[in-house]
Amino acid sequence: MIAVLVAILILGRLAGSLWLSALNRSEVSRHADAPPPAAAAVMDGPTYSKAVAYTLARSLFGGVTEVFDAVVLAAAVLTGALPALYRGVSGWGSPGSAWAGALFVVICGVLLSLLSLPFDAWEQFRIESRFGFNRTSPGLWAADKAKGLGLGLALGFPVVWALLALVGWVGPLWWVWGAVLVTAVQLVMIVLYPMLILPLFNRLEPLPEGELRARLMALGEKTGFRAASIQVMDGSKRSGHSNAFFTGFGRFRRIVLFDTLVAQLSPLELEAVLAHEIGHYRCGHIPKRLALSTAGLFACLAAVAALAGSAWFNPAFGYPAGAAAPALLLCGLLGGLVTFWLSPLFNGLSRRHEYEADAFARDALGGPEGMVGALRKLAEKNLTNLTPHPWFSAFHYSHPTPFERERALTAAR
Ligand SMILES: [Zn+2]
């Protein structure tokens, strides 16, 4: 009965997602030879055609990946393979052993991430390469994956172990303490990430002295954001895509600009990008996002605890009732089947924040020119799809489209 429901949920998400992608492809193809008039200000004809081809290639490949993922998910939750693994692994520890449970969850995580490697490689070395974005060598790619896996194990195993150990230590309310623990780990990681983890993958250097740095520091001063430093990251080592982001908080906050971004944008446009990032900070978006994700975490662990304690949930998937490790794994695997349908809600919130940060940048710079210029150039250099289908963007876009942002920036206040 539950197996049938889960199969329906898996097929439902797959069908929904493939249908959205097909809608998006037809919308893009419809505009392939008839670009919207506003596109001329963003990219020339040949670049527009290339952006269309890039969007279509990624969309078709994404469809193949989604079908594969659905088959893997169905095999993981609906066959006896993982329950057999669970029986084997839990035989190594005493009944209810937290470390055996954690080992089971981590082995499943590693197996699933190994299965996705060929798809990651294809995307990087076939699609990204074909459109001139890939700068990664196979050696660097393999080293990145190995480091990522090592980090995942080093961080994931202790956290899962602690969660499962809490079941024995504090009883039925373990999930409350578990959520507090995971939140604390996340806060520590936000501070440590730019200091310890980012440097494992990239070289970060302070923006060198000069006119650009002086302008950006003056902007920080003016907007009440005294950045400890503005750093430039060697994103060009891996990809031609450009970006900027904000990391850390409080005394540890810093703004990171990709070297590709610094090379592509004018000083005024870089000021706008920086002002946008400061906008997220000054409008309080970071604590809001943290609060939302913490609430989500409490809800998820409450669900895990309730389902693990129920007489029906684990047995429906071939696991013994009362065991927290399989319930944790199952919730991790199945959660996306529900949250997929909520993504327009979360994306809507994220977009509201993007509009607010854009407006902050416009006001800080005394006009929309810098922000509009930056958005146009980023869309051009990243071969952004200028005509996504509205339903597709509702499900997949955390940012409004470049045209939507430009319209909001230049609208009369
Ligand atoms: Zn933003």
Side-chain angles (χ1 to χ4, degrees):
M1 185 58 215
I2 291 170
V4 175
L5 178 67
V6 167
I8 290 171
L9 285 175
I10 293 175
L11 283 174
R13 179 180 63 171
L14 180 64
S17 189
L18 292 178
W19 182 63
L20 286 172
S21 297
L23 270 185
N24 195 46
R25 282 196 301 277
S26 83
E27 184 76 7
V28 171
S29 303
R30 199 162 67 79
H31 285 99
D33 298 312
V42 180
M43 46 181 86
D44 61 19
T47 309
Y48 182 82
S49 302
K50 202 175 164 192
V52 168
Y54 183 53
T55 303
L56 294 178
R58 284 178 62 87
S59 174
L60 285 171
F61 177 69
V64 174
T65 311
E66 278 170 27
V67 171
F68 177 78
D69 287 347
V71 171
V72 169
L73 179 59
V77 296
L78 298 177
T79 72
L82 293 187
L85 177 70
Y86 179 72
R87 282 192 298 277
V89 174
S90 52
W92 301 340
S94 55
S97 148
W99 74 261
L103 191 61
F104 165 70
V105 172
V106 166
I107 290 175
C108 293
V110 171
L111 285 176
L112 292 172
S113 62
L114 289 179
L115 286 172
S116 71
L117 281 182
F119 291 86
D120 291 352
W122 186 276
E123 183 179 24
Q124 190 67 30
F125 295 109
R126 292 299 173 113
I127 298 176
E128 292 293 293
S129 281
R130 174 147 48 106
F131 290 91
F133 288 120
N134 177 45
R135 309 267 166 82
T136 309
S137 67
L140 179 62
W141 183 85
D144 281 351
K145 293 294 172 189
K147 277 187 220 169
L149 193 62
L151 269 175
L153 288 175
L155 297 171
F157 186 84
V159 169
V160 175
W161 174 83
L163 282 177
L164 298 175
L166 277 168
V167 180
W169 294 340
V170 296
L173 281 181
W174 66 270
W175 59 274
V176 178
W177 295 103
V180 170
L181 173 87
V182 175
T183 303
V185 171
Q186 278 175 339
L187 290 178
V188 171
M189 286 314 299
I190 291 175
V191 174
L192 292 185
Y193 175 77
M195 293 198 254
L196 296 181
I197 296 181
L198 206 50
L200 291 176
F201 296 92
N202 285 96
R203 190 192 297 274
L204 289 136
E205 272 165 3
L207 187 65
E209 294 286 341
E211 196 219 327
L212 178 63
R213 184 172 184 280
R215 279 178 78 160
L216 295 184
M217 291 310 261
L219 176 74
E221 215 47 58
K222 194 173 98 185
T223 50
F225 179 89
R226 253 190 257 122
S229 76
I230 300 164
Q231 296 191 300
V232 180
M233 190 181 100
D234 59 346
S236 60
K237 193 164 108 182
R238 292 186 178 79
S239 166
H241 286 297
S242 43
N243 206 349
F245 62 91
F246 186 98
T247 126
F249 59 79
R251 216 153 56 75
F252 303 102
R253 66 189 184 226
R254 61 185 79 189
I255 281 171
V256 179
L257 306 172
F258 279 39
D259 55 356
T260 34
L261 190 78
V262 177
Q264 286 165 358
L265 300 189
S266 72
L268 176 68
E269 290 159 353
L270 281 166
E271 269 190 286
V273 168
L274 182 67
H276 172 98
E277 294 301 323
I278 293 173
H280 280 307
Y281 176 79
R282 296 281 293 176
C283 300
H285 296 160
I286 290 132
K288 278 182 200 161
R289 283 179 200 181
L290 264 174
L292 191 67
S293 75
T294 304
L297 175 71
F298 272 85
C300 288
L301 285 182
V304 173
L307 293 171
S310 77
W312 56 272
F313 183 72
N314 281 354
F317 297 95
Y319 300 98
L328 189 63
L329 178 78
L330 287 166
C331 289
L333 291 175
L334 299 174
L337 298 177
V338 180
T339 53
F340 170 76
W341 301 102
L342 299 176
S343 46
L345 211 69
F346 296 119
N347 285 333
L349 182 69
S350 166
R351 285 171 202 215
R352 213 170 68 202
H353 288 173
E354 295 308 325
Y355 282 128
E356 283 173 18
D358 278 353
F360 181 93
R362 175 191 60 198
D363 297 345
L365 268 64
E369 295 77 17
M371 203 61 225
V372 168
L375 287 170
R376 288 179 178 176
K377 239 181 237 174
L378 284 172
E380 183 202 4
K381 301 292 181 193
N382 291 301
L383 296 178
T384 301
N385 173 16
L386 293 177
T387 60
H389 191 281
W391 294 358
F392 180 84
S393 71
F395 273 83
H396 292 287
Y397 284 22
S398 60
H399 288 55
T401 68
F403 289 158
E404 287 170 333
R405 293 174 74 176
E406 195 172 320
R407 228 172 290 139
L409 278 163
T410 52
R413 265 166 286 172

